[in-house]
Amino acid sequence: KGFMSATREIVWELLFVKNDPDDYIRPWLRTPGTVLEGFLLACILASLAVSIMDSMSSWEPQSPESRCWAICCDPKHGRCKPDTCEAHKNDTIVDPACSFAMSWVHVRDYSLHILMAIFTVEYAGRLWTCVENPQFARPFRGRIAWMRLPLSLVDLFSVLPFYIDAIFSTDDDNGPNSSYVLRAVRLLRIMTVLRLERPLKAIHVMVSVCGRKSEELLVTLFGACVLILLFGSIMYILEFDENPEMFPNIPAAMWWCVNCLSTVGYGDAVPITPAGQLLGALAAFLGVGLFAMPAGILGSGFLEVYEERKSTL
């Protein structure tokens, strides 16, 4: 084999082969593969942490309340408007909260750039080496087929928000990057949580259980939808004349039914007629059993999966 072919095969083993010595063509790659898997897991968790903390507006320097003008007016990372900076160009008083916020901005930006590079290299490596799998052996069509797999799409759509944010964001948070669309794109970085399916075996078990019990779960979901529609329609008929503010239409009554069947009971919609209260009591009792059914289905599925795993050991 040529150098590129051998290198591609090694990278494929590191990225795709599970932590099983029998699956490795080169057994000595097992330890590096385990280390790489742990490193990627740490990167995924770091990306989630940064994305969550990035949504905390209290960590951003405020203008013009903040007095940290020297940092806030930094040409590259400053968050203050030019006219605000001009008005306070001689103010050197540093506010501790603003200083911390600007430090977080630097940490966030550098962290996201590093994580973006890591995830990009990983995705490119998977795309390059997937042809080692006989299922995707064709150089072009095989890679296209691999890119259409669910986990491959998760990898792609967890990387794209980094690039969209880097390309379209500006230093002025009051500009276009403060729009709802770009904030939503930034929060799409949370999709990296779906990439935990690869390194965590517990998620493999959960997916296996849901797949095995999908028919039973769908039947339960269909039954819940029927109950919500039925009880919501009846409650609308019973309450509309006496309580039009809380039950103005069927969708509003269905919202009440969801709260009642899930035993949440926010209290934003309450029946006041005797017939409506009787129906509400019936819905509350049915809700307990409705939510017990999926729990029992999933519990039996977990037992089946673990019994099979024990029998194969």
Side-chain angles (χ1 to χ4, degrees), residues 94-161:
V94 176
D95 180 75
C98 178
S99 180
F100 173 79
M102 288 306 303
S103 299
W104 159 247
V105 169
H106 285 277
V107 172
R108 178 198 63 192
D109 291 345
Y110 289 136
S111 300
L112 290 179
H113 290 158
I114 294 172
L115 291 169
M116 179 175 64
I118 292 172
F119 292 147
T120 301
V121 171
E122 183 208 0
Y123 182 80
R126 292 184 182 275
L127 182 61
W128 179 49
T129 61
C130 67
V131 293
E132 295 295 328
N133 187 333
Q135 184 180 356
F136 311 109
R138 293 183 177 182
F140 180 76
R141 292 186 179 180
R143 288 188 171 95
I144 295 297
W146 177 84
M147 292 176 66
R148 295 168 59 185
L149 294 178
L151 280 180
S152 302
L153 292 175
V154 168
D155 290 342
L156 178 61
F157 286 110
S158 63
V159 172
L160 286 179

Side-chain angles (χ1 to χ4, degrees), residues 6-287:
T7 302
R8 187 174 61 195
E9 193 174 84
I10 291 174
V11 175
W12 174 75
E13 286 190 68
L14 289 173
L15 291 175
F16 284 99
V17 178
K18 299 299 181 181
N19 190 19
D20 189 338
D22 297 332
D23 294 336
Y24 281 95
I25 301 174
R26 300 170 178 83
W28 58 271
L29 287 175
R30 180 184 181 187
T31 300
T34 303
V35 173
L36 178 62
E37 189 175 57
F39 172 73
L40 292 175
L41 174 60
C43 290
I44 292 172
L45 296 177
S47 174
L48 293 174
V50 172
S51 299
I52 292 171
M53 289 187 291
D54 194 25
S55 67
M56 300 171 64
S57 59
S58 60
W59 284 33
E60 291 287 349
Q62 302 298 315
S63 172
E65 290 80 4
S66 174
R67 295 174 296 167
C68 185
W69 309 117
I71 301 177
C72 196
C73 294
D74 180 77
K76 186 175 181 181
H77 297 282
R79 298 285 170 165
C80 296
K81 293 182 178 180
D83 55 346
T84 304
C85 293
E86 180 65 23
H88 297 273
K89 62 182 179 180
N90 297 322
D91 192 346
T92 58
I93 300 176
V94 176
D95 180 75
C98 178
S99 180
F100 173 79
M102 288 306 303
S103 299
W104 159 247
V105 169
H106 285 277
V107 172
R108 178 198 63 192
D109 291 345
Y110 289 136
S111 300
L112 290 179
H113 290 158
I114 294 172
L115 291 169
M116 179 175 64
I118 292 172
F119 292 147
T120 301
V121 171
E122 183 208 0
Y123 182 80
R126 292 184 182 275
L127 182 61
W128 179 49
T129 61
C130 67
V131 293
E132 295 295 328
N133 187 333
Q135 184 180 356
F136 311 109
R138 293 183 177 182
F140 180 76
R141 292 186 179 180
R143 288 188 171 95
I144 295 297
W146 177 84
M147 292 176 66
R148 295 168 59 185
L149 294 178
L151 280 180
S152 302
L153 292 175
V154 168
D155 290 342
L156 178 61
F157 286 110
S158 63
V159 172
L160 286 179
F162 290 91
Y163 284 97
I164 296 175
D165 188 16
I167 293 172
F168 293 101
S169 63
T170 65
D171 288 337
D172 182 10
D173 272 351
N174 296 316
N177 71 330
S178 62
S179 66
Y180 173 82
V181 174
L182 194 54
R183 288 201 307 271
V185 169
R186 287 177 174 178
L187 287 179
L188 281 177
R189 295 196 298 257
I190 299 295
M191 280 193 64
T192 52
V193 71
L194 299 177
R195 303 184 74 234
L196 293 173
E197 194 274 340
R198 279 197 181 99
L200 296 183
K201 295 181 179 180
I203 298 181
H204 296 177
V205 174
M206 187 180 302
V207 172
S208 177
V209 170
C210 292
R212 178 172 300 193
K213 297 294 182 179
S214 59
E215 185 175 350
E216 293 89 338
L217 292 174
L218 286 175
V219 170
T220 305
L221 178 62
F222 176 75
C225 292
V226 171
L227 284 178
I228 291 172
L229 178 61
L230 182 63
F231 276 70
S233 301
I234 297 175
M235 183 61 72
Y236 167 73
I237 295 173
L238 296 176
E239 290 289 323
F240 177 74
D241 292 334
E242 301 293 333
N243 196 7
E245 293 182 358
M246 292 187 178
F247 297 92
N249 47 53
I250 291 180
M254 291 173 65
W255 165 248
W256 163 85
C257 191
V258 170
N259 292 333
C260 190
L261 288 175
S262 60
T263 67
V264 173
Y266 287 121
D268 54 345
V270 180
I272 60 176
T273 64
Q277 292 173 346
L278 180 62
L279 183 64
L282 179 60
F285 279 112
L286 289 177

